Amino acid sequence: KTMISSIDKDNIDLEELKKHAKLLSEGKTVIFPTETVYGLGANALDEDAVKKIYEAKGRPSDNPLIVHIHEKEQVHELAKDVNDNAKIVMDRFWPGPITIILNKKDIVPKTTSGGLDTVAIRMPSHKIAKEIIKQSGVPIAAPSANISGRPSPTKAQHVKDEMEGRVSGIVLGGDSNFGLESTVLDLTSETPMILRPGSITKEDLESVLGKVELDPSLAKKEDNQKAKAPGMKYTHYSPDADVFIVSGSKDDVFNKVNELILINNENGLKTGVMCLEKNKHKYNGEVISLGSTLEEVASNLFNVLREMDKLKVDIIYSEEFEIAGIGQAIMNRLLKSAGYKIIKA
Ligand code: TXA
Ligand code: MG
């Protein structure tokens, strides 16, 4: 049976939250909100607890987990060789939506690191996340709280719908702020490398670190198997429908999509369209706006994919977004949910 509590992040009921922190300290699993997406947590230093995470998600166990901490100093318990780049990132961006990869200390079990000698560490800024980690007294391993392969949960309802009965506790705390998972930055080599783009962009990082690379295997499907973050190679963010990105100049995209919708209709297939707010009226079919700005698109994307499932569409066409700034993270998630299928208009 899952213990479920709704907690207001701006007025935390500490007694209620402590019940969940206690579950964590006893080696059980608890889902809690973070500023990026909801996380499915367990004691990162307890192998049996960590195994429960993989079970609850149906996640392959070679896919390493991010260890969440509530104060910066905890990094030294988990990682060795905490270099200058790490100090700069921690100083500038923590607490917040960025995860750093460093060489791990022996205290971090291989079950947590997916067999690697490195560990991913993040200090979230969300008040509930920080407090539950603090109260549990241990670092918390937490992947996104979705069943493996599904879009990450950004709203309380997503977690209730999908995870009730699969974990010991659920803390519901409203919507995520960013809506995409944290940027994952490998700091084990000379030049920092982004393994997963996120809200903290390459440009943001370069402004404090100098040269930053992007894992070259992120760009193409064929290279995806070589991705340095093991999690990037699996099917991801998949709604029930088949997703396609439609690329080209605006008018060509509108025409192409409407043409395809007619054909789909004839074949008895229901079509959904995901687009910028201002383009909504250009399309026929079931249109859901992703928002007006790239920040809104990032924060709405996973929810819109889930909304499309509710509409029971068979095919989804999405507009494409510029691969710059946060657009890099948006297109990364969108390409994965589309299985890299692009239609040229
Ligand atoms: O925003 C987030 O990061 C959320 C919230 C809950 O904090 N968590 C999250 O975790 O997205 P997860 O497990 O869904 O994604 C972790 C990513 C995966 O792509 C994984 O392969 C990569 O980080 N990763 C973890 N440890 C790694 C390591 N030692 N080396 C390389 N990649 C690693
Ligand atoms: Mg995930």
Side-chain angles (χ1 to χ4, degrees):
K1 176 116 174 40
T2 304
M3 178 165 88
I4 301 183
S5 309
S6 287
I7 292 182
D8 176 359
K9 71 170 186 300
D10 296 315
N11 184 15
I12 295 179
D13 179 343
L14 202 54
E15 288 318 305
E16 193 65 20
L17 194 67
K18 278 183 180 170
K19 294 180 198 164
H20 291 271
K22 184 159 177 284
L23 292 174
L24 287 171
S25 63
E26 289 167 349
K28 302 198 173 106
T29 49
V30 176
I31 292 175
F32 57 88
T34 86
E35 71 277 21
T36 57
V37 300
Y38 274 80
L40 195 174
N43 181 352
L45 306 182
D46 174 349
E47 287 200 68
D48 291 327
V50 170
K51 280 182 191 146
K52 291 177 193 159
I53 296 179
Y54 289 107
E55 258 167 51
K57 276 182 67 88
R59 176 176 176 131
S61 60
D62 68 335
N63 192 355
L65 304 173
I66 296 171
V67 181
H68 296 67
I69 58 178
H70 71 92
E71 54 187 6
K72 293 176 189 173
E73 294 69 45
Q74 284 179 287
V75 159
H76 301 281
E77 294 166 27
L78 305 166
K80 51 188 181 191
D81 316 323
V82 181
N83 49 39
D84 287 345
N85 283 339
K87 286 179 188 144
I88 291 169
V89 172
M90 287 159 58
D91 197 48
R92 176 67 183 79
F93 298 108
W94 275 5
I98 185 159
T99 297
I100 59 175
I101 312 266
L102 294 168
N103 290 323
K104 79 173 191 69
K105 283 191 171 166
D106 291 339
I107 190 174
V108 179
K110 291 257 177 166
T111 322
T112 300
S113 70
L116 301 172
D117 293 324
T118 52
V119 58
I121 309 175
R122 173 162 114 80
M123 178 179 172
S125 61
H126 196 287
K127 289 179 189 150
I128 293 176
K130 272 205 300 205
E131 194 62 37
I132 196 171
I133 299 164
K134 182 176 171 194
Q135 296 295 337
S136 75
V138 289
I140 299 295
S144 49
N146 50 284
I147 293 185
S148 206
R150 298 271 305 152
S152 301
T154 55
K155 290 177 177 290
Q157 194 61 42
H158 301 162
V159 172
K160 275 188 80 178
D161 290 351
E162 195 159 297
M163 302 308 279
E164 190 171 356
R166 292 181 158 258
V167 290
S168 297
I170 297 181
V171 177
L172 301 174
D175 296 353
S176 310
N177 324 41
F178 296 103
L180 296 180
E181 306 87 344
S182 63
T183 306
V184 176
L185 184 68
D186 186 350
L187 294 176
T188 59
S189 47
E190 187 80 2
T191 308
M193 185 185 275
I194 295 173
L195 306 188
R196 179 175 73 181
S199 299
I200 293 179
T201 64
K202 183 164 184 276
E203 293 84 343
D204 294 335
L205 291 166
E206 281 179 333
S207 73
V208 294
L209 293 174
K211 190 173 161 47
V212 173
E213 287 173 335
L214 192 71
D215 180 353
S217 60
L218 292 179
K220 288 198 244 87
K221 183 185 184 181
E222 308 81 72
D223 287 346
N224 213 240
Q225 293 300 324
K226 296 182 228 143
K228 294 202 171 57
M232 300 305 271
K233 70 175 183 270
Y234 298 106
T235 317
H236 251 93
Y237 316 118
S238 310
D240 298 333
D242 211 5
V243 183
F244 297 85
I245 296 168
V246 185
S247 126
S249 75
K250 271 189 196 157
D251 284 328
D252 289 346
V253 169
F254 303 151
N255 291 334
K256 183 75 185 178
V257 168
N258 286 326
E259 193 181 294
L260 289 168
I261 289 173
L262 283 181
I263 299 172
N264 293 343
N265 286 347
E266 280 169 20
N267 293 322
L269 297 172
K270 192 170 170 185
T271 311
V273 180
M274 310 197 297
C275 62
L276 285 175
E277 175 67 31
K278 65 175 183 207
N279 298 335
K280 256 183 95 166
H281 65 284
K282 300 281 187 185
Y283 301 103
N284 309 318
E286 300 276 0
V287 185
I288 305 183
S289 164
L290 287 165
S292 301
T293 62
L294 285 184
E295 282 69 27
E296 285 176 20
V297 173
S299 112
N300 292 331
L301 178 63
F302 291 147
N303 183 53
V304 171
L305 288 170
R306 286 173 182 266
E307 289 297 315
M308 286 290 180
D309 279 350
K310 286 193 202 148
L311 291 173
K312 302 217 177 309
V313 299
D314 302 292
I315 294 179
I316 300 171
Y317 299 121
S318 176
E319 292 184 343
E320 74 174 343
F321 299 91
E322 195 196 342
I323 303 191
I326 195 174
Q328 179 94 56
I330 294 170
M331 283 306 289
N332 169 264
R333 307 309 192 275
L334 205 49
L335 278 163
K336 286 171 154 300
S337 79
Y340 294 82
K341 297 190 300 300
I342 299 176
I343 295 173
K344 298 253 183 265

